[in-house]
Amino acid sequence: MEMEMSSEVVISWLPWATLAVSLLYCLTVWRRRTGGGRPLPPGPAPLPLIGNLHNLRAGVLHHTLTSLARVHGPVMMLKLGLSTAVVLSSRDAAREAFTKQDRRIAARPVPDANRAGGFADRSMIFLLSSNPLCKAIRGIHGTHYFSPRSLAAACTVRERKVRDMVAYFRRRAGTVVDIRRTVYGCVLNLLSNTTFSVDVVDDLGGADEAIHGDGAGGLRELVHELVNGVTRPNVSDYFPFLRALDLQGLRRATGRRFEKLFGILDDVIDRRSASKQKRGDYLDSLLDLVSAGKITRDTVPIMLVDVFVAGGDTMTVSVEWAMAVLLRNPSAMAKVRAEIKDVLGGKEVIEEADAERLPYLQAAWKETMRLHPVGPLLVPRMATEDGVEIGGYAVPKGSTVLFNAWAIMRDPELWERPEEFSPERFLHGRAEEFDLRGKEYFEFTPFGSGRRICPGLPLAERVVPFMLASLLHAFDWQLPDGMSADELDMSETFSTANVRAVPLKAVPVLLT
Ligand code: HEM
């Protein structure tokens, strides 16, 4: 009787127990998939193994991501091989990420090529922002290179380098010049002279000491190839189990370039240490910090490489886009010219501080960065903890977080006639309130925001407008071969940064 009772009970409870266990299982799986309660962001259906890589194979990456976000929403998830990316494409998502989740997404995913020579373990670009070495480096850059005092001290050096560029174009007046190539040379020399008082590109004809000999003449190409190599899509990043094979050889090639670059920099550092002669530049400050035991000698070349890698292309691309956009918009160009004439008319040679007195030119630069940001996806971040939530969705730990600043800065909900180049919006509209620091207005963040905001901003905001003002003060610029403004190709491509697909060529015509 007892036996009968218990088997009856078991039989009647069995379906319920099975249901409960199944529910528990589903709940556990669901919670694991959603990161503990919240759903995962929507996104295009991934294919086995490759995930959504096929969705990204055509077109310019930030354009493709913008189109996908129109379908799947402002917080969108993609599987890139075995890695996960969450793409934020609205101001509100960006605001939430920067203000509420900044600490938990402050890591950077490390592209495999950057592991060459241990670079990623020592560079501030890739170290965790809470890492003591990263904090120390950021603090030193901030105090000894980017602070108002240090920037003021190096002002005449920067002015000299920009004048070298103007003199170079002057010698080629009336002929077609490649603006990107020359501006890049100027920017590298400006960085090398403010850091260690030497020209690294000697074909601009400056009077400063130049590095000669093996490798030095090709430093422009070396830095460019290095940046190109580390930003190229790499199968090792999507399938980490293939890393050891380095199938595209990108890590090996980057390793060779780093070795060459570090060789050049080590030589500069050793010669300075041996000479005991002070030059009053950044290298002097860094060697003082080495003597004081604040940093080690082998951190110094990495800090210099960070400056070249992050500062060279960015400032060049920004100047090139601004020149292109002005050539494409003759009425805006005329206004910039009129302003320069009004404010600086009597001056033969202009100074860096003069650019601060050119509000229309400053607005034209901002508007250029809105339309053609150097970093349209900023620099990728990575979620380091569970529990990150953006827009009501879970951002899984370990996923890459991309800010589609390009999409946000062209969002028709936020910008009137967003495709139109109109510097006036940074003079008379709401945009007038926006500064470059991305603190309050997340619809305009060309330098990023939060704890990983671009540390080079104080330098860039002095140098880029000054270079533009210098180019436009000295020359009238014409498009080559009778090309009309409308014919100027404004296509973007994503390589080292958001660069012009067709390098800008123009003819400098002497004004003075
Ligand atoms: C027009 C010029 C420039 C633009 C538009 C620009 C833009 C950016 C952006 C969008 C980021 C990522 C910010 C984020 O993750 O929130 C960044 C990071 C960085 N930038 Fe710039 N940048 C420029 C010039 C420079 C210069 C001149 C230097 C140095 C000389 C520099 C050094 C860096 C470094 C080291 C980082 C990484 C910071 C970190 O990971 O903590 N940048 N920049």
Side-chain angles (χ1 to χ4, degrees), residues 227-296:
V227 179
N228 213 11
V230 296
T231 48
R232 204 173 293 164
N234 186 355
V235 71
S236 300
D237 296 326
Y238 308 128
F239 304 99
F241 65 91
L242 293 174
R243 262 185 211 155
L245 301 175
D246 189 21
L247 287 173
Q248 290 158 264
L250 289 177
R251 196 176 59 239
R252 285 191 299 278
T254 305
R256 285 193 295 276
R257 288 174 191 131
F258 271 138
E259 210 174 299
K260 209 165 167 187
L261 185 56
F262 284 127
I264 296 170
L265 293 174
D266 278 333
D267 195 40
V268 169
I269 297 165
D270 289 344
R271 275 192 287 135
R272 176 71 61 84
S273 304
S275 83
K276 306 270 184 268
Q277 191 200 354
K278 292 273 182 199
R279 303 290 296 265
D281 53 21
Y282 191 32
L283 182 55
D284 274 353
S285 312
L286 292 177
L287 290 176
D288 285 347
L289 291 165
V290 172
S291 303
K294 297 263 168 32
I295 45 169
T296 57

Side-chain angles (χ1 to χ4, degrees), residues 98 102 106 108 124-127 129 134 138 141 145-146 187 191 306-319 365 369 373-381 403 445-457 459-461 464:
F98 282 131
D102 192 44
R108 300 249 186 242
M124 71 167 289
I125 303 173
F126 295 107
L127 283 168
S129 62
C134 185
R138 206 173 169 109
H141 278 319
Y145 194 54
F146 297 124
V187 167
L191 294 172
D306 279 350
V307 166
F308 279 96
V309 166
D313 266 334
T314 46
M315 290 202 287
T316 304
V317 170
S318 206
V319 171
W365 178 47
M369 289 195 292
V374 173
L377 304 172
L378 306 185
V379 179
R381 305 276 200 103
F403 291 82
T445 55
F447 289 88
S449 178
R451 66 195 67 213
R452 299 222 77 145
I453 191 173
C454 174
L457 195 169
L459 176 67
E461 71 180 341
V464 176

Side-chain angles (χ1 to χ4, degrees), residues 189-505:
N189 277 349
L190 184 150
L191 294 172
S192 63
N193 276 275
T194 48
T195 48
F196 48 82
S197 305
V198 166
D199 275 349
V200 290
V201 175
D202 56 6
D203 58 7
L204 292 190
D208 288 290
E209 182 191 337
I211 302 182
H212 297 290
D214 184 35
L219 203 128
R220 173 181 9 213
E221 284 69 27
L222 184 59
V223 175
H224 182 68
E225 282 168 15
L226 192 68
V227 179
N228 213 11
V230 296
T231 48
R232 204 173 293 164
N234 186 355
V235 71
S236 300
D237 296 326
Y238 308 128
F239 304 99
F241 65 91
L242 293 174
R243 262 185 211 155
L245 301 175
D246 189 21
L247 287 173
Q248 290 158 264
L250 289 177
R251 196 176 59 239
R252 285 191 299 278
T254 305
R256 285 193 295 276
R257 288 174 191 131
F258 271 138
E259 210 174 299
K260 209 165 167 187
L261 185 56
F262 284 127
I264 296 170
L265 293 174
D266 278 333
D267 195 40
V268 169
I269 297 165
D270 289 344
R271 275 192 287 135
R272 176 71 61 84
S273 304
S275 83
K276 306 270 184 268
Q277 191 200 354
K278 292 273 182 199
R279 303 290 296 265
D281 53 21
Y282 191 32
L283 182 55
D284 274 353
S285 312
L286 292 177
L287 290 176
D288 285 347
L289 291 165
V290 172
S291 303
K294 297 263 168 32
I295 45 169
T296 57
R297 157 69 178 78
D298 59 357
T299 309
V300 176
I302 302 262
M303 292 179 70
L304 297 178
V305 169
D306 279 350
V307 166
F308 279 96
V309 166
D313 266 334
T314 46
M315 290 202 287
T316 304
V317 170
S318 206
V319 171
E320 190 193 17
W321 271 121
M323 286 293 290
V325 161
L326 287 170
L327 281 163
R328 171 84 181 190
N329 292 276
S331 68
M333 177 68 104
K335 286 182 192 166
V336 174
R337 293 207 154 288
E339 181 181 70
I340 291 179
K341 202 166 168 216
D342 267 10
V343 180
L344 311 172
K347 282 193 135 183
E348 204 176 307
V349 178
I350 65 167
E351 287 150 28
E352 194 179 87
D354 289 330
E356 285 166 31
R357 300 193 284 135
L358 303 171
Y360 192 84
L361 178 135
Q362 298 276 354
W365 178 47
K366 285 185 178 176
E367 177 69 343
T368 302
M369 289 195 292
R370 182 186 70 78
L371 284 172
H372 303 288
V374 173
L377 304 172
L378 306 185
V379 179
R381 305 276 200 103
M382 195 174 78
T384 47
E385 290 176 25
D386 279 322
V388 176
E389 268 178 43
I390 301 173
Y393 296 108
V395 177
K397 180 180 171 183
S399 51
T400 295
V401 179
L402 295 173
F403 291 82
N404 192 345
W406 187 88
I408 298 169
M409 294 197 282
R410 286 179 183 234
D411 185 344
E413 300 281 314
L414 306 170
W415 303 91
E416 222 173 278
R417 299 185 308 281
E419 305 296 321
E420 203 174 285
F421 177 72
S422 167
E424 283 74 9
R425 66 175 101 234
F426 283 96
L427 288 171
H428 314 302
R430 263 202 65 236
E432 192 184 358
E433 299 157 27
F434 302 170
D435 72 358
L436 296 170
R437 278 152 181 80
K439 274 201 175 125
E440 252 177 278
Y441 302 102
F442 298 95
E443 50 267 66
F444 186 65
T445 55
F447 289 88
S449 178
R451 66 195 67 213
R452 299 222 77 145
I453 191 173
C454 174
L457 195 169
L459 176 67
E461 71 180 341
R462 280 172 172 76
V463 169
V464 176
F466 175 49
M467 288 180 86
L468 284 172
S470 302
L471 292 172
L472 298 170
H473 175 259
F475 309 104
D476 183 15
W477 290 87
Q478 289 172 4
L479 291 168
D481 307 323
M483 185 193 282
S484 72
D486 293 343
E487 287 170 321
L488 184 60
D489 187 338
M490 299 300 277
S491 317
E492 299 183 329
T493 181
F494 195 89
S495 60
T496 55
N498 178 23
V499 296
R500 287 177 52 74
V502 181
L504 179 63
K505 303 241 167 93

